[in-house]
Amino acid sequence: MRAADLCFAPADFLRLTENAGLTGNWVWIFASDRQTWSPGLFRLLGLDPGRTLPSYALLVDLVHPDDRPYLVSAADLRQGLALPAREIRIMRPDGTLRTLTIRTELHMTPEGLPLAAAGLVCDVTDSAALLRLRRADQRRQSAWFETARMLFIPVGLDGTFHFPLEAARFAGRPIEDIKADPFADVVPEERAAFRDSIARRDAGGVFHAAPLLHHRNREPERYRVLSVPVHDERGHLIERNGLVYPAALVDPPMVRLVQAGLEQAVEGHHLRAARALLDWSMTHLAEASGLSLSTVRRLEENAERQGARSRHKAITALRAAGIRFILLDEGGLAVARV
């Protein structure tokens, strides 16, 4: 596996590699001078998040002196200058040396002024570790297919479907044919409507459909197609996670893979409805979730970013109290109490 493959991997795999201590990310908002690092970046750099203030200057200081020319200075970055992704060496505080790939992305205002910078850092010291993770991820997806004919299909922001190898067995035709026409297996009488519904979907919303598929050597069968947006902690849409499974399967175990995206679709009125079902005040929800009262208020006013961790904490607390957010056939969310 090459570093470039990792940098452009689906978000689900990037989360897997971050938990394994192989990737991390950072962001710097220039106007407020706010800088944040992901937990994976602290682990990757060998730093204690409780004692370390995130700083691009600190990141540059950790780079081996011979490799520092491959990164721009903090002053140049604020001026909108960035260099292409390069491999560099990092000197950890414990004296160990790691080889990393750093990819920096600039965000500009409509007037072309630097607004923010974000970076993805990948540890490529042991490429075999990356390969092992990729193979483990592939085995996991193969198991899902073998047990219930379920496919997990990430979708890029450009609309490209990242089909797993199992998709060829699923459809009974070569993967190249599937990529060329992902909708060919939908029965002719439903194909145009299904294609149009995907084209009209809200890029930031949940999509849910149940087309009738006709695969080779198999009778037509109705499947559910679930697609949810995935936002990072800054609220930026990074991709969509797609799930395809037999409609007869009521509660597919793979739904946990798209749970984060589904939770990001929970809005303020859903939270207020959940509190009403529990007879909770905002203070009660704040105490149960470990959030501040002001954060709960922002969530209920839809003032928090969709990818904010506070949303997931609030939902976790509500789930523990018996609340369920149920996806409806038309893509909306219902709130119920168990």
Side-chain angles (χ1 to χ4, degrees):
M1 172 175 287
R2 300 172 304 161
D5 296 330
L6 183 59
C7 288
F8 292 94
D12 180 64
F13 185 67
L14 287 180
R15 283 190 291 271
L16 178 66
T17 56
E18 171 141 348
N19 291 337
L22 294 174
T23 64
N25 62 80
W26 57 269
V27 64
W28 182 5
I29 308 298
F30 297 140
S32 63
D33 199 31
R34 179 183 177 187
Q35 300 190 45
T36 56
W37 287 0
S38 71
L41 183 56
F42 283 104
R43 289 194 296 267
L44 192 153
L45 299 177
L47 298 173
D48 182 355
R51 300 181 178 180
T52 306
L53 185 66
S55 164
Y56 180 79
L58 172 60
L59 179 62
V60 174
D61 285 343
L62 292 173
V63 175
H64 191 283
D66 293 343
D67 295 345
R68 286 178 189 166
Y70 298 142
L71 291 181
V72 298
S73 65
D76 286 341
L77 191 61
R78 296 195 66 151
Q79 294 299 315
L81 300 177
L83 297 176
R86 293 292 299 267
E87 284 192 6
I88 60 171
R89 290 164 293 175
I90 285 282
M91 295 289 297
R92 286 174 165 178
D94 63 3
T96 58
L97 187 69
R98 307 295 295 180
T99 302
L100 312 178
T101 291
I102 297 185
R103 175 174 175 255
T104 304
E105 181 180 281
L106 285 166
H107 298 269
M108 315 296 284
T109 67
E111 296 76 25
L113 299 176
L115 179 65
L120 175 64
V121 182
C122 310
D123 189 338
V124 295
T125 307
D126 182 6
S127 59
L130 299 178
L131 184 58
R132 286 193 296 270
L133 276 176
R134 172 58 80 186
R135 287 175 175 171
D137 189 50
Q138 290 173 344
R139 288 194 298 270
R140 180 180 59 170
Q141 296 201 32
S142 295
W144 297 328
F145 176 75
E146 295 292 348
T147 55
R149 286 180 289 126
M150 298 181 296
L151 291 178
F152 178 60
I153 307 174
V155 184
L157 295 183
D158 60 355
T160 301
F161 295 89
H162 299 285
F163 292 103
L165 297 178
E166 289 73 22
R169 295 169 56 195
F170 181 75
R173 55 195 180 100
I175 194 73
E176 292 76 14
D177 292 353
I178 298 174
K179 292 179 180 179
D181 187 358
F183 310 105
D185 295 320
V186 180
V187 295
E189 56 268 30
E190 296 185 13
R191 190 176 304 155
F194 179 64
R195 190 193 300 268
D196 290 343
S197 66
I198 290 181
R200 294 194 309 269
R201 74 167 184 251
D202 178 8
V206 175
F207 174 80
H208 196 208
L212 186 64
L213 304 184
H214 190 184
H215 295 138
R216 293 180 181 177
N217 303 320
R218 193 181 304 141
E219 291 298 318
E221 183 178 359
R222 198 159 296 279
Y223 279 78
R224 293 195 180 275
V225 178
L226 173 62
S227 176
V228 299
V230 180
H231 298 80
D232 62 19
E233 293 180 13
R234 302 182 294 277
H236 299 146
L237 182 65
I238 54 177
E239 71 174 10
R240 296 184 68 88
N241 280 346
L243 188 64
V244 180
Y245 59 95
L249 192 62
V250 177
D251 187 22
M254 274 179 58
V255 165
R256 68 182 182 274
L257 292 171
V258 297
Q259 181 173 312
L262 287 172
E263 290 183 353
Q264 290 175 4
V266 173
E267 299 183 3
H269 64 276
H270 296 119
L271 296 177
R272 290 192 295 273
R275 284 199 298 104
L277 288 174
L278 295 171
D279 196 24
W280 279 11
S281 66
M282 282 196 293
T283 300
H284 197 150
L285 177 55
E287 293 174 350
S289 60
L291 300 171
S292 66
L293 181 60
S294 60
T295 298
V296 171
R297 183 176 291 109
R298 288 196 301 272
L299 285 170
E300 296 198 358
E301 294 173 351
N302 293 323
E304 285 283 286
R305 294 173 177 142
Q306 283 185 279
R309 293 182 180 178
S310 55
R311 185 185 311 273
H312 301 297
K313 289 183 177 180
I315 292 172
T316 298
L318 291 169
R319 287 187 190 278
I323 293 296
R324 297 295 182 266
F325 298 95
I326 303 168
L327 181 66
L328 303 176
D329 286 344
E330 67 272 14
L333 286 178
V335 184
R337 181 180 181 183
V338 178

